[in-house]
Amino acid sequence: MLCDLAAIQTLISRGALFALSHSGGKDSQAMTLQVRQVVPREQLAIVHADLGDVHWPGTLEHIQATAGDLPIIVARAQRSFLEMVERRGRFPSPQQRQCTSDLKRGPIEREIRRYLRARPEFSGVVVNCMGLRAEESSSRARRQTLRLISRNSVAGREWYDWLPIHSMATDEVFSIIAKAGQCPHWAYAAGMSRLSCCFCIMASVSDLTTAARLMPELYAKYVTLERKLGHTLSMSQKTLEQLTQVKVADLLQGTPSAS
């Protein structure tokens, strides 16, 4: 964050809108707390992509409870994740992440453009703030922390992507949240390491197993869809029941068979 502060201060002085992309997860929460220390409140807005029934319950309410007085913009896609998968006949992959482009990035960018058009005080300048961290993956580690996005800088608009907590470790993220007197989303205390879709293509076996126990009815929908399509959520080509060792029939009866 510090290496970008001179450029960020220039953008603040130009009256830019700082749009905080907020999933409800720990990184988004810590990022919001950090950016609030630098950017004036009147130049901030939260943007949340509502993923419907594949999202963790209470996500929007958690954002509302921790956002203070910041405006919250909710972005929704035209179809749900499960509808998208059924139409394509397959789940997304790390190489073809339609879930990110169609359900998150696209709707978020659409709502930011709409918000910006309606508010001339920002002079068409926007900084899209995201809680991506280098520790999460090698590809994220290579990301520039502040860059002009040419494809979005059109029609009199100037668009930047900023990663304010890119260099932070996980324990720092939780520490920032605790020092602010806040708690992370309840799913972390329930055993999840990440807060994305309940059943994410990038999730660990541990997270998938925990999610199966916490969200049995949704788990059953994913298992049913895997069977219908003949295609698995996991790139390992193992079914959810094989990965988690949790059988839907047992789980819905209240006696999960996971070891």
Side-chain angles (χ1 to χ4, degrees):
M1 185 171 180
L2 292 176
C3 62
D4 297 323
L5 278 183
I8 291 301
Q9 288 294 346
T10 298
L11 289 166
I12 292 171
S13 67
R14 292 178 61 195
L17 166 67
F18 285 75
L20 301 158
S21 293
H22 202 318
S23 68
K26 65 184 188 304
D27 297 331
S28 298
Q29 190 172 345
M31 176 195 70
T32 298
L33 290 165
Q34 289 294 93
V35 173
R36 289 199 71 159
Q37 295 182 24
V38 179
V39 181
R41 182 260 171 216
E42 60 271 16
Q43 289 177 244
L44 292 170
I46 287 174
V47 189
H48 169 63
D50 184 351
L51 302 179
D53 60 358
V54 302
H55 226 164
W56 288 98
T59 296
L60 181 57
E61 291 80 3
H62 175 71
I63 295 172
Q64 291 168 334
T66 56
D69 59 351
L70 296 184
I72 300 174
I73 307 161
V74 179
R76 294 183 175 90
Q78 293 182 342
R79 63 176 64 96
S80 72
F81 174 80
L82 295 177
E83 288 172 341
M84 181 192 74
V85 171
E86 188 154 12
R87 177 172 293 195
R88 293 181 66 241
R90 60 192 299 111
F91 287 90
S93 68
Q95 293 74 34
Q96 295 180 313
R97 294 177 63 181
Q98 284 82 8
C99 47
T100 298
S101 61
D102 295 2
L103 305 183
K104 298 179 184 179
R105 184 173 63 244
I108 284 174
E109 291 182 354
R110 179 196 68 215
E111 293 304 320
I112 290 175
R113 292 193 300 268
R114 183 178 296 169
Y115 192 84
L116 196 63
R117 282 196 303 268
R119 290 161 179 80
E121 64 268 27
F122 298 121
S123 303
V125 183
V126 61
V127 182
N128 180 32
C129 308
M130 297 175 286
L132 306 183
R133 294 185 297 114
E135 185 181 72
E136 296 175 295
S137 69
S138 57
S139 62
R140 290 190 173 185
R142 293 191 294 269
R143 294 281 292 265
Q144 286 181 255
T145 54
L146 179 65
R147 63 189 181 115
L148 177 70
I149 306 301
S150 299
R151 67 179 176 83
N152 287 336
S153 297
V154 296
R157 187 172 55 243
E158 191 174 331
W159 184 298
Y160 297 85
D161 279 355
W162 183 31
L163 311 180
I165 63 168
H166 188 251
S167 63
M168 284 190 185
T170 300
D171 58 348
E172 293 179 87
V173 168
F174 282 116
S175 177
I176 286 168
I177 294 170
K179 286 178 180 177
Q182 297 182 358
C183 294
H185 188 281
W186 65 266
Y188 292 106
M192 295 297 296
S193 67
R194 298 175 67 245
L195 192 87
S196 184
C197 294
C198 295
F199 298 96
C200 178
I201 62 171
M202 310 293 286
S204 66
V205 172
S206 175
D207 275 355
L208 291 172
T209 305
T210 299
R213 296 180 180 278
L214 294 172
M215 302 290 290
E217 293 183 359
L218 182 60
Y219 178 69
K221 289 182 180 180
Y222 275 78
V223 170
T224 299
L225 189 55
E226 283 188 329
R227 292 171 181 167
K228 179 179 179 179
L229 300 178
H231 188 256
T232 61
L233 175 83
S234 170
M235 295 306 102
S236 70
Q237 298 186 355
K238 291 183 179 180
T239 68
L240 281 168
E241 289 187 313
Q242 289 172 332
L243 285 170
T244 65
Q245 293 297 295
V246 176
K247 301 299 182 184
V248 166
D250 294 338
L251 187 59
L252 294 180
Q253 292 172 7
T255 55
S257 61
S259 57

